Amino acid sequence: MASKKGKTICIFSAKGGVGKTILTTNLAGICEKLKRKTLIIDLDLTGGGLSVALNRFNQRTIYHLVDDLSNNRRKDYLEYVTKYDDYIDILASPRDPRQGNKIDAFFIDNIIEQASYLYDVVLIDMSHVLNDINLVTLDKVDKILFLMTNDPLELKNMKSIMSIFRDLNIDKYKVILNNSRDTNKNYFSLFDIKNIIKANIDYTISPKFHIKKIDSYIMNGQIVTLHPRCESIFAKDYLTMSTMMIDILGEGLVARK
Ligand SMILES: Nc1ncnc2c1ncn2[C@@H]1O[C@H](COP(=O)(O)OP(=O)(O)OP(=O)(O)O)[C@@H](O)[C@H]1O
Ligand SMILES: [Mg+2]
Protein backbone atom coordinates (compact mmCIF):
# COMPACT_ATOMS: atom_id res chain seq x y z
CA MET A 1 0.00 0.00 0.00
CA ALA A 2 0.98 3.62 -0.43
CA SER A 3 3.75 4.90 1.83
CA LYS A 4 2.74 8.57 1.40
CA LYS A 5 -0.46 10.34 0.54
CA GLY A 6 -1.71 9.35 -2.90
CA LYS A 7 -3.04 11.64 -5.63
CA THR A 8 -6.78 12.07 -5.92
CA ILE A 9 -8.13 12.65 -9.41
CA CYS A 10 -11.73 12.95 -10.58
CA ILE A 11 -13.04 12.53 -14.11
CA PHE A 12 -15.79 15.01 -14.87
CA SER A 13 -17.68 16.26 -17.92
CA ALA A 14 -20.35 18.78 -18.89
CA LYS A 15 -22.54 16.13 -20.51
CA GLY A 16 -23.22 12.42 -20.06
CA GLY A 17 -21.86 9.67 -22.26
CA VAL A 18 -18.60 11.35 -23.30
CA GLY A 19 -16.38 8.44 -22.24
CA LYS A 20 -15.61 9.18 -18.56
CA THR A 21 -16.05 5.62 -17.33
CA ILE A 22 -14.00 4.10 -20.14
CA LEU A 23 -11.25 6.70 -19.56
CA THR A 24 -11.29 6.01 -15.81
CA THR A 25 -10.70 2.30 -16.35
CA ASN A 26 -8.01 2.98 -18.95
CA LEU A 27 -6.18 5.37 -16.62
CA ALA A 28 -6.37 2.74 -13.88
CA GLY A 29 -4.70 0.36 -16.35
CA ILE A 30 -1.95 2.93 -17.00
CA CYS A 31 -1.43 3.34 -13.23
CA GLU A 32 -1.07 -0.42 -12.92
CA LYS A 33 1.58 -0.38 -15.65
CA LEU A 34 3.35 2.30 -13.58
CA LYS A 35 3.02 -0.07 -10.62
CA ARG A 36 0.81 2.29 -8.64
CA LYS A 37 -1.80 0.87 -6.27
CA THR A 38 -5.03 2.40 -7.49
CA LEU A 39 -8.54 2.75 -6.12
CA ILE A 40 -11.39 3.58 -8.47
CA ILE A 41 -14.26 5.22 -6.60
CA ASP A 42 -17.49 4.94 -8.57
CA LEU A 43 -19.29 8.15 -7.63
CA ASP A 44 -21.83 7.81 -10.41
CA LEU A 45 -24.15 6.77 -7.63
CA THR A 46 -27.34 6.20 -9.53
CA GLY A 47 -26.09 5.18 -12.95
CA GLY A 48 -22.62 3.82 -12.28
CA GLY A 49 -22.06 0.12 -12.26
CA LEU A 50 -18.34 0.38 -12.90
CA SER A 51 -17.64 -2.74 -10.86
CA VAL A 52 -20.33 -4.53 -12.86
CA ALA A 53 -18.69 -3.28 -16.09
CA LEU A 54 -15.43 -4.77 -14.84
CA ASN A 55 -17.24 -7.99 -13.86
CA ARG A 56 -16.45 -7.62 -10.18
CA PHE A 57 -19.12 -8.01 -7.56
CA ASN A 58 -19.07 -7.34 -3.86
CA GLN A 59 -21.78 -7.30 -1.24
CA ARG A 60 -20.38 -4.06 0.16
CA THR A 61 -20.46 -0.76 -1.72
CA ILE A 62 -19.95 2.92 -0.94
CA TYR A 63 -23.49 2.84 0.46
CA HIS A 64 -22.43 0.44 3.23
CA LEU A 65 -19.31 2.51 3.93
CA VAL A 66 -21.41 5.68 4.33
CA ASP A 67 -24.03 3.85 6.37
CA ASP A 68 -21.38 2.46 8.73
CA LEU A 69 -19.57 5.81 8.96
CA SER A 70 -22.79 7.57 9.91
CA ASN A 71 -23.46 4.95 12.60
CA ASN A 72 -19.89 4.96 13.95
CA ARG A 73 -19.25 1.34 13.09
CA ARG A 74 -16.88 1.60 10.14
CA LYS A 75 -14.81 -1.52 9.56
CA ASP A 76 -11.44 -1.56 7.84
CA TYR A 77 -11.73 0.56 4.65
CA LEU A 78 -10.50 -2.37 2.59
CA GLU A 79 -13.53 -4.40 3.62
CA TYR A 80 -15.68 -2.15 1.48
CA VAL A 81 -13.59 -2.34 -1.70
CA THR A 82 -13.75 -4.90 -4.48
CA LYS A 83 -10.50 -6.27 -5.86
CA TYR A 84 -10.02 -6.06 -9.63
CA ASP A 85 -6.45 -7.36 -9.69
CA ASP A 86 -3.23 -6.97 -7.69
CA TYR A 87 -3.04 -3.23 -8.38
CA ILE A 88 -6.61 -2.05 -8.86
CA ASP A 89 -9.45 -1.96 -6.30
CA ILE A 90 -12.93 -0.53 -6.76
CA LEU A 91 -15.17 1.20 -4.26
CA ALA A 92 -18.39 0.26 -6.02
CA SER A 93 -21.51 2.35 -6.37
CA PRO A 94 -24.73 0.84 -4.98
CA ARG A 95 -26.47 -1.62 -7.26
CA ASP A 96 -29.80 -0.15 -6.20
CA PRO A 97 -30.05 3.51 -7.33
CA ARG A 98 -32.35 4.22 -4.37
CA GLN A 99 -29.37 3.61 -2.08
CA GLY A 100 -27.30 5.98 -4.24
CA ASN A 101 -29.82 8.73 -3.62
CA LYS A 102 -29.48 8.27 0.14
CA ILE A 103 -25.74 8.99 0.23
CA ASP A 104 -25.00 12.22 2.08
CA ALA A 105 -22.37 14.51 0.51
CA PHE A 106 -21.08 15.17 4.03
CA PHE A 107 -19.14 11.86 4.00
CA ILE A 108 -17.49 12.20 0.59
CA ASP A 109 -14.57 14.32 1.80
CA ASN A 110 -13.71 11.71 4.43
CA ILE A 111 -14.03 8.81 1.96
CA ILE A 112 -11.62 10.45 -0.51
CA GLU A 113 -9.21 11.50 2.26
CA GLN A 114 -9.04 7.99 3.77
CA ALA A 115 -8.46 6.45 0.34
CA SER A 116 -5.52 8.77 -0.32
CA TYR A 117 -3.68 7.25 2.68
CA LEU A 118 -4.18 3.72 1.38
CA TYR A 119 -3.54 4.07 -2.35
CA ASP A 120 -0.97 5.75 -4.60
CA VAL A 121 -3.74 6.93 -6.91
CA VAL A 122 -7.46 7.45 -6.34
CA LEU A 123 -9.46 7.81 -9.56
CA ILE A 124 -13.04 9.01 -9.17
CA ASP A 125 -15.60 8.34 -11.88
CA MET A 126 -18.51 10.79 -11.67
CA SER A 127 -21.82 11.70 -13.22
CA HIS A 128 -21.91 15.00 -15.12
CA VAL A 129 -24.42 16.61 -12.75
CA LEU A 130 -23.38 19.56 -10.57
CA ASN A 131 -24.97 18.16 -7.38
CA ASP A 132 -23.64 18.44 -3.82
CA ILE A 133 -21.67 15.20 -4.02
CA ASN A 134 -19.91 16.27 -7.20
CA LEU A 135 -19.26 19.79 -5.89
CA VAL A 136 -17.61 18.38 -2.74
CA THR A 137 -15.56 16.03 -4.95
CA LEU A 138 -14.45 18.79 -7.34
CA ASP A 139 -13.38 20.84 -4.34
CA LYS A 140 -11.60 17.99 -2.57
CA VAL A 141 -9.47 16.33 -5.27
CA ASP A 142 -5.93 17.22 -6.27
CA LYS A 143 -6.79 17.26 -9.96
CA ILE A 144 -9.91 17.39 -12.14
CA LEU A 145 -9.79 15.74 -15.55
CA PHE A 146 -12.44 17.48 -17.62
CA LEU A 147 -13.39 15.24 -20.50
CA MET A 148 -15.16 16.64 -23.55
CA THR A 149 -16.06 15.72 -27.10
CA ASN A 150 -16.41 17.85 -30.22
CA ASP A 151 -20.15 18.37 -29.82
CA PRO A 152 -21.97 21.72 -30.09
CA LEU A 153 -24.36 21.20 -27.17
CA GLU A 154 -21.59 19.93 -24.97
CA LEU A 155 -19.36 22.89 -25.80
CA LYS A 156 -22.14 25.24 -24.69
CA ASN A 157 -22.52 23.36 -21.38
CA MET A 158 -18.77 23.29 -20.96
CA LYS A 159 -18.55 27.04 -21.47
CA SER A 160 -20.93 27.57 -18.53
CA ILE A 161 -19.07 25.12 -16.30
CA MET A 162 -15.77 26.78 -17.13
CA SER A 163 -17.19 30.11 -16.02
CA ILE A 164 -18.46 28.50 -12.79
CA PHE A 165 -14.93 27.13 -12.25
CA ARG A 166 -13.55 30.65 -12.74
CA ASP A 167 -16.09 32.08 -10.25
CA LEU A 168 -15.09 29.42 -7.72
CA ASN A 169 -11.37 29.97 -8.43
CA ILE A 170 -10.96 26.34 -9.48
CA ASP A 171 -7.94 26.06 -11.74
CA LYS A 172 -6.67 22.58 -10.86
CA TYR A 173 -8.19 21.02 -13.98
CA LYS A 174 -6.86 19.57 -17.21
CA VAL A 175 -9.08 19.49 -20.29
CA ILE A 176 -9.10 16.33 -22.37
CA LEU A 177 -10.68 16.29 -25.81
CA ASN A 178 -11.97 12.79 -26.52
CA ASN A 179 -12.08 12.19 -30.26
CA SER A 180 -12.21 8.43 -29.82
CA ARG A 181 -15.86 8.12 -28.88
CA ASP A 182 -17.32 9.46 -32.12
CA THR A 183 -14.76 9.49 -34.87
CA ASN A 184 -16.81 11.54 -37.32
CA LYS A 185 -17.53 14.54 -35.11
CA ASN A 186 -15.38 17.46 -36.14
CA TYR A 187 -17.74 20.42 -36.16
CA PHE A 188 -15.20 22.73 -34.58
CA SER A 189 -11.46 23.11 -35.00
CA LEU A 190 -9.18 23.00 -31.99
CA PHE A 191 -8.82 26.77 -32.30
CA ASP A 192 -12.64 27.25 -32.23
CA ILE A 193 -13.03 24.93 -29.23
CA LYS A 194 -10.40 26.79 -27.23
CA ASN A 195 -12.12 30.07 -28.09
CA ILE A 196 -15.55 28.79 -27.09
CA ILE A 197 -14.56 27.25 -23.77
CA LYS A 198 -11.92 29.91 -23.03
CA ALA A 199 -9.52 27.26 -21.82
CA ASN A 200 -6.63 25.30 -23.17
CA ILE A 201 -6.96 21.70 -24.31
CA ASP A 202 -4.27 19.84 -22.42
CA TYR A 203 -4.60 16.39 -23.98
CA THR A 204 -6.37 14.91 -26.99
CA ILE A 205 -7.36 11.28 -27.37
CA SER A 206 -7.36 10.62 -31.09
CA PRO A 207 -9.95 8.88 -33.29
CA LYS A 208 -7.43 6.04 -33.58
CA PHE A 209 -8.33 5.04 -30.04
CA HIS A 210 -11.88 4.26 -31.13
CA ILE A 211 -12.26 0.64 -30.10
CA LYS A 212 -14.65 -1.24 -32.33
CA LYS A 213 -14.80 -4.14 -29.90
CA ILE A 214 -15.46 -1.93 -26.86
CA ASP A 215 -18.64 -3.87 -26.08
CA SER A 216 -16.77 -7.17 -25.91
CA TYR A 217 -14.16 -5.58 -23.61
CA ILE A 218 -17.01 -4.47 -21.35
CA MET A 219 -18.73 -7.86 -21.53
CA ASN A 220 -15.46 -9.52 -20.50
CA GLY A 221 -14.69 -6.97 -17.79
CA GLN A 222 -11.38 -6.08 -19.45
CA ILE A 223 -9.41 -2.85 -19.28
CA VAL A 224 -8.16 -1.86 -22.74
CA THR A 225 -4.83 -0.40 -21.56
CA LEU A 226 -4.00 -3.67 -19.80
CA HIS A 227 -4.27 -5.62 -23.02
CA PRO A 228 -0.75 -6.89 -23.83
CA ARG A 229 -0.83 -5.32 -27.31
CA CYS A 230 -2.48 -2.00 -26.40
CA GLU A 231 0.82 -0.15 -26.09
CA SER A 232 1.86 -1.08 -29.63
CA ILE A 233 -1.53 -0.95 -31.37
CA PHE A 234 -2.57 2.38 -29.85
CA ALA A 235 0.95 3.76 -29.37
CA LYS A 236 0.07 7.47 -29.66
CA ASP A 237 -2.94 7.41 -27.35
CA TYR A 238 -1.28 5.05 -24.91
CA LEU A 239 1.54 7.60 -24.70
CA THR A 240 -0.97 10.44 -24.23
CA MET A 241 -2.65 8.65 -21.32
CA SER A 242 0.70 7.69 -19.78
CA THR A 243 1.95 11.27 -20.10
CA MET A 244 -1.27 12.51 -18.51
CA MET A 245 -0.77 10.28 -15.49
CA ILE A 246 2.94 10.98 -15.19
CA ASP A 247 2.26 14.75 -15.37
CA ILE A 248 -0.30 14.45 -12.58
CA LEU A 249 1.58 12.01 -10.37
CA GLY A 250 4.71 14.10 -10.44
CA GLU A 251 7.60 14.93 -12.63
CA GLY A 252 10.40 12.48 -13.02
CA LEU A 253 8.14 9.59 -12.05
CA VAL A 254 9.51 6.27 -13.15
CA ALA A 255 7.73 2.95 -13.20
CA ARG A 256 8.34 1.02 -10.00
CA LYS A 257 10.18 -2.27 -10.29
N1 LIG B 1 -12.48 4.71 -26.97
C1 LIG B 1 -13.76 4.35 -27.27
N2 LIG B 1 -14.00 3.56 -28.36
C2 LIG B 1 -15.26 3.20 -28.68
N3 LIG B 1 -16.35 3.56 -27.99
C3 LIG B 1 -16.17 4.33 -26.91
C4 LIG B 1 -14.87 4.78 -26.49
N4 LIG B 1 -15.02 5.52 -25.36
C5 LIG B 1 -16.33 5.54 -25.11
N5 LIG B 1 -17.02 4.83 -26.02
C6 LIG B 1 -18.48 4.61 -26.09
O1 LIG B 1 -19.14 5.66 -25.47
C7 LIG B 1 -20.10 5.17 -24.56
C8 LIG B 1 -20.10 6.07 -23.36
O2 LIG B 1 -18.87 5.90 -22.67
P1 LIG B 1 -18.83 5.99 -21.09
O3 LIG B 1 -19.87 5.13 -20.49
O4 LIG B 1 -17.41 5.80 -20.69
O5 LIG B 1 -19.24 7.53 -20.94
P2 LIG B 1 -19.58 8.29 -19.61
O6 LIG B 1 -19.12 9.71 -19.81
O7 LIG B 1 -19.03 7.57 -18.44
O8 LIG B 1 -21.16 8.20 -19.59
P3 LIG B 1 -22.14 8.55 -18.36
O9 LIG B 1 -22.16 10.06 -18.27
O10 LIG B 1 -23.45 7.99 -18.80
O11 LIG B 1 -21.57 7.89 -17.15
C9 LIG B 1 -19.69 3.74 -24.21
O12 LIG B 1 -20.80 2.90 -24.07
C10 LIG B 1 -18.88 3.31 -25.38
O13 LIG B 1 -19.69 2.56 -26.25
MG1 LIG C 1 -19.94 6.80 -16.72
Side-chain angles (χ1 to χ4, degrees), residues 11 13 15-24 26 44 47-48 125-128 147 178-182 205-207 209-215 218 224:
I11 294 86
S13 66
K15 192 169 158 285
V18 303
K20 293 183 297 296
T21 300
I22 303 271
L23 178 68
T24 306
N26 281 329
D44 189 353
D125 188 20
M126 305 166 82
S127 72
H128 66 282
L147 190 62
N178 184 11
N179 285 332
S180 68
R181 192 199 179 288
D182 302 292
I205 300 177
S206 83
F209 196 63
H210 181 78
I211 297 144
K212 292 194 191 73
K213 291 194 302 180
I214 194 85
D215 292 338
I218 294 169
V224 178

